[in-house]
Amino acid sequence: MAGNPESWLTHLLSSWPINTALASAMDLAAIAVELYTLVPSAFTAARTAQAKEAKSAGDAELAKQIAQLPKPSTAAWAVNMLVRHGTKEFASVLELGASLGRAQEEHDHDRLRTLGQQRPRVLGAAVEQARAVAEGLGVKVSGAAAMEIEATLRTAMTDLGAAAALRSGQLVRSLATNGLEPVDLSGAVAIAGALPAVGTAKEGPDDGGRQRGRADSQRARADSEREREKAQTALVEAERNADKADLELAQAEREKSEAVRRSEQLAVEVKAAKDKLATLQQELAATEWAITLAERNRKLAVRLAGKERRAAETARARLEGLP
């Protein structure tokens, strides 16, 4: 059923009987959970069916809210599926992000470098698993969508708010970070305000300034944590670029050494060729002189042969004239 979106949708819609009491009790969050589990091709029809059911149950506001739930991009849906299937690859992304954060707090540069080297492998494995899960449900993930998946997972690795958005399983668009500014989470999840602010607490009715003070302190700590994460990301990227530059330098030095060796080898071959050329030129000159001498001898032989031929003709004539 997972590989056939239409069969899945038919089965799902058949399990939603038109019941006024049930429709009135429907919860937007619960509906969103169901909708964002569907393959993208089945999303719009299922959303319309849910909205109509809510409206027929007399809950026009819920129907409106359902109708406004955005269809997820392919990349966002694939990430949702990766999260919902509880894969170890997604867990590895968050674990590596947490490890990077601890290493940054402890100023453990060696650990940061080691973890930074692991990141491409961890992200690559998660992206491949997301594609495998999606394709197992009949959805093809393009190369561009795969790049968006990687950017989203990379963002969750470095930003607590982004990680919370992914855990919701209701991501509707991909996420990205430049490592310097806060991650833009506006419109990133299906239900606005469904996610609590990372590092903050709800104010109680009777706590007054004390509760607000705690919330402000927690927000300040969250801001500080985000700044540390940005600095950590920048450091890891800088060290990664430095390592890459070192590799490129080593490669350039190897190429230079090879070029020098080849140049020296060619110089030897050129000298040998020049020596060979000089020898051949000498042999050519001697051969040309031999040709000149041979031509002279040939001309002398021609004249001598003619003289001797004429003498023979004279002798024959004399012989024939005798009685």
Side-chain angles (χ1 to χ4, degrees):
M1 186 182 300
N4 188 332
E6 295 183 357
S7 298
W8 187 5
L9 176 59
T10 301
H11 172 75
L12 182 61
L13 295 181
S14 66
S15 66
W16 293 337
I18 303 299
N19 182 297
T20 301
L22 178 60
S24 299
M26 287 191 299
D27 177 77
L28 180 63
I31 293 171
V33 169
E34 292 187 8
L35 288 177
Y36 288 98
T37 302
L38 298 174
V39 294
S41 61
F43 179 87
T44 302
R47 179 184 60 189
T48 300
Q50 285 280 30
K52 287 181 179 179
E53 186 172 350
K55 187 175 182 179
S56 67
D59 196 336
E61 181 60 27
L62 178 59
K64 179 180 178 181
Q65 292 174 335
I66 294 173
Q68 290 176 343
L69 290 174
K71 179 180 178 179
S73 68
T74 300
W77 174 82
V79 171
N80 289 340
M81 294 302 97
L82 182 70
V83 174
R84 287 184 183 277
H85 282 72
T87 63
K88 65 180 185 301
E89 287 81 6
F90 178 66
S92 295
V93 168
L94 298 187
E95 288 171 5
L96 182 57
S99 297
L100 283 166
R102 288 192 297 271
Q104 175 63 27
E105 290 178 354
E106 297 167 1
H107 305 288
D108 189 341
H109 301 301
D110 291 338
R111 179 65 173 160
L112 278 173
R113 184 179 298 105
T114 300
L115 293 172
Q117 293 171 347
Q118 295 177 12
R119 183 165 56 183
R121 176 182 57 78
V122 171
L123 286 173
V127 171
E128 286 305 310
Q129 181 61 20
R131 297 183 77 165
V133 171
E135 291 176 6
L137 295 173
V139 179
K140 180 71 174 178
V141 176
S142 67
M147 292 177 64
E148 291 184 30
I149 293 171
E150 180 176 352
T152 299
L153 294 173
R154 184 186 297 273
T155 302
M157 184 180 288
T158 60
D159 186 271
L160 297 177
L166 265 64
R167 287 195 189 95
S168 73
Q170 297 179 26
L171 199 67
V172 298
R173 66 171 176 83
S174 58
L175 303 178
T177 179
N178 58 12
L180 300 176
E181 299 176 355
V183 176
D184 179 14
L185 295 176
S186 59
V189 295
I191 303 176
L195 298 177
V198 178
T200 63
K202 296 182 180 180
E203 295 184 4
D206 301 322
D207 282 351
R210 289 194 303 274
Q211 187 67 20
R212 286 192 296 273
R214 284 195 297 270
D216 290 342
S217 176
Q218 290 173 331
R219 279 193 292 271
R221 285 196 298 273
D223 290 340
S224 177
E225 178 65 22
R226 280 193 293 270
E227 290 302 320
R228 282 196 298 272
E229 290 172 353
K230 293 174 189 175
Q232 163 207 316
T233 300
L235 174 61
V236 171
E237 288 297 327
E239 290 181 339
R240 180 180 180 183
N241 291 335
D243 291 341
K244 181 179 179 181
D246 288 341
L247 292 174
E248 292 175 349
L249 173 60
Q251 178 65 21
E253 290 177 343
R254 286 194 297 272
E255 291 175 354
K256 177 185 175 182
S257 297
E258 176 62 21
V260 169
R261 185 196 65 77
R262 180 59 178 160
S263 175
E264 293 172 348
Q265 178 182 352
L266 290 174
V268 171
E269 293 176 0
V270 167
K271 183 178 183 305
K274 286 181 177 179
D275 292 343
K276 180 66 174 176
L277 176 61
T279 300
L280 292 174
Q281 287 174 333
Q282 291 174 357
E283 293 178 358
L284 176 61
T287 302
E288 289 176 345
W289 175 244
I291 291 172
T292 301
L293 292 178
E295 179 62 18
R296 289 179 183 178
N297 292 335
R298 187 188 69 79
K299 289 179 179 179
L300 289 174
V302 168
R303 289 197 295 269
L304 180 60
K307 182 180 179 181
E308 295 298 329
R309 179 62 59 188
R310 288 191 296 273
E313 291 296 331
T314 299
R316 183 180 294 107
R318 185 182 303 118
L319 177 62
E320 291 175 351
L322 293 177

